[in-house]
Amino acid sequence: MIAAEVVKTILQDRVNNEPENEGIAFAPVNIALIKYWGKRDTELNLPITSSLSVSLNAKGSQTNIKLITAAEDLIILNKEKIANNSVFARRLIKYLDLFRFNSQWHFAITIATNVPIAAGLASSAAGFASIIMALNGLFNWQLSKRELSILARLGSGSACRSLWHGFVKWQRGELENGLDSFAEPLPYQWPELCIGLLIFSGKQKAISSRQAMEQTVKTSTLYSSWPQQVAQDMPLLEQAIKTKDFQLLGKNAESNALAMHATMLSSWPPIAYALPETVAAMQYIWQLRAEGRNIYFTQDAGPNLKLLFLQEDIDEIKRLFPALEIINIGAKL
Ligand code: PMV
């Protein structure tokens, strides 16, 4: 099935809704503790495995969207107009096309994000989630979060998890049309859990996660073990969240991320997102653990690390990593 048909199946006669003046929405960035890596359908962004994430509270994207009388869409990102032929704009316009039920419609879309774009900090997840929520407001569709999660996935897979705060699980689903592949919040809170962003580079990554996933699935001999890795890590991670077992969470999140990067290293051409600083920081963290400290990391499609630790260790962690940006994910917004 193609994405446009999925959109029509979900919206049905809402495609005829009259637009309001403006749609506005915020969505948080989410960091996967069990990663989404590999698609079984590249158009619908249907994953090979389920994944589980935690959202980063106030870190994310705010989108304002309205219809304008103009010959083309107008895209403003962090107060700057983006050329419509840029990679960023083309991806966004392709997504907006799914909701352009009248060819005369053009959108003015303003996105403000407080995380670096495309540096493995899940800016696209927050971006697409906030865009679909803003469109839901603009056209008064009144869709459920589950339906919005499916539509957000069409923009970027991991965006389907950015509809909620807290812990979120994306069930891979079985259907070819992906109508059973959406995320849902987990009913657990963990106010003491902290995430620290250890940023080595905020630069645009050389290879997109989309491209890296495709290359890995196609060429990595290790990829065949990835579904088993997830099958092993997922129940342990869920148990860790449920019972607030920090070491169980840290161990499974870290080893899941490293296994994902191992599939990339074994693809051809090889893919390594780590910089020398990334590897040095990993070794430092392993040394800190050997000394008895409670600290783990996870890494996405970029060189930056996300450190996992508990509130009780925050002063010590700040001393060890002075540049760390800390997000207490359990804090009330
Ligand atoms: O949704 P995408 O195409 O940005 O892919 C996200 C991939 C990872 O960040 C590496 C893993 C994940 O589950 O977020």
Side-chain angles (χ1 to χ4, degrees):
M1 197 182 230
I2 56 169
E5 287 172 35
V6 172
V7 169
K8 291 207 175 108
T9 307
I10 290 181
L11 290 179
Q12 298 184 5
D13 54 8
R14 295 180 183 95
V15 297
N16 301 316
N17 279 16
E18 285 296 318
E20 309 276 328
N21 284 340
E22 192 175 23
I24 306 179
F26 171 84
V29 157
N30 75 77
I31 301 297
L33 300 171
I34 301 291
K35 306 295 184 190
Y36 146 55
W37 197 249
K39 305 181 196 206
R40 62 179 202 277
D41 182 315
T42 49
E43 164 147 12
L44 301 180
N45 292 332
L46 293 176
I48 290 176
T49 67
S50 297
S51 57
L52 192 156
S53 63
V54 63
S55 293
L56 295 190
N57 282 4
K59 285 256 164 234
S61 293
Q62 164 98 18
T63 294
N64 292 44
I65 192 161
K66 51 183 161 190
L67 287 177
I68 46 168
T69 318
E72 56 176 18
D73 295 331
L74 171 68
I75 301 171
I76 312 275
L77 173 65
N78 291 341
K79 301 201 169 128
E80 272 182 43
K81 183 181 174 331
I82 303 291
N84 281 15
N85 59 3
S86 65
V87 176
F88 180 94
R90 275 188 282 139
R91 182 169 174 202
L92 180 50
I93 291 168
K94 190 170 166 228
Y95 186 64
L96 293 175
D97 284 346
L98 292 171
F99 308 98
R100 204 184 308 272
F101 304 118
N102 175 336
S103 59
Q104 305 298 308
W105 283 356
H106 287 102
F107 298 98
I109 177 160
T110 306
I111 305 171
T113 176
N114 55 13
V115 286
I117 308 285
L121 284 166
S123 55
S124 68
F128 283 107
S130 67
I131 290 165
I132 197 63
M133 285 197 276
L135 283 167
N136 185 47
L138 177 66
F139 291 111
N140 198 17
W141 291 328
Q142 301 190 15
L143 294 176
S144 66
K145 284 246 187 143
R146 177 178 290 192
E147 290 165 318
L148 292 171
S149 176
I150 293 171
L151 296 178
R153 168 170 51 72
L154 302 176
S156 160
S158 56
C160 77
R161 300 185 309 236
S162 269
L163 274 290
W164 295 270
H165 288 287
F167 297 105
V168 178
K169 184 174 179 185
W170 173 12
Q171 292 285 5
R172 79 183 282 282
E174 301 295 331
L175 298 173
E176 259 179 44
N177 63 11
L179 292 180
D180 59 349
S181 184
F182 48 80
E184 280 183 316
L186 295 180
Y188 309 112
Q189 311 280 321
W190 195 340
E192 302 81 15
L193 188 63
C194 296
I195 287 197
L197 304 181
L198 196 53
I199 312 256
F200 304 114
S201 167
K203 276 206 234 125
Q204 187 96 5
K205 54 199 174 199
I207 171 164
S208 67
S209 48
R210 166 175 286 268
Q211 199 185 333
M213 265 186 223
E214 279 189 44
Q215 197 166 306
T216 311
V217 173
K218 255 194 223 141
T219 69
S220 163
T221 47
L222 288 188
Y223 189 78
S224 60
S225 68
W226 175 248
Q228 276 158 261
Q229 178 81 36
V230 173
Q232 173 193 301
D233 294 339
M234 184 67 86
L236 293 170
L237 212 288
E238 285 184 80
Q239 186 195 331
I241 295 170
K242 209 168 163 178
T243 60
K244 293 197 185 168
D245 183 336
F246 178 70
Q247 286 174 356
L248 190 63
L249 175 124
K251 175 181 180 282
N252 282 284
E254 186 174 305
S255 80
N256 186 268
L258 289 168
M260 174 182 77
H261 286 277
T263 68
M264 290 186 231
L265 282 174
S266 66
S267 80
W268 199 263
I271 303 159
Y273 281 110
L275 292 171
E277 298 90 310
T278 319
V279 179
M282 287 179 184
Q283 284 170 340
Y284 182 46
I285 291 161
W286 293 330
Q287 182 200 321
L288 291 173
R289 273 216 304 277
E291 290 165 5
R293 288 194 179 84
N294 249 339
I295 178 167
Y296 297 85
F297 65 85
T298 184
Q299 181 192 0
D300 291 287
N304 305 309
L305 295 184
K306 288 95 187 188
L307 307 190
L308 301 164
F309 53 93
L310 290 173
Q311 177 80 39
E312 65 196 34
D313 296 321
I314 208 163
D315 291 336
E316 179 73 346
I317 300 290
K318 276 186 189 159
R319 194 179 61 75
L320 295 167
F321 299 92
L324 201 65
E325 184 171 356
I326 296 178
I327 295 131
N328 181 336
I329 54 165
K332 286 262 173 299
L333 290 178

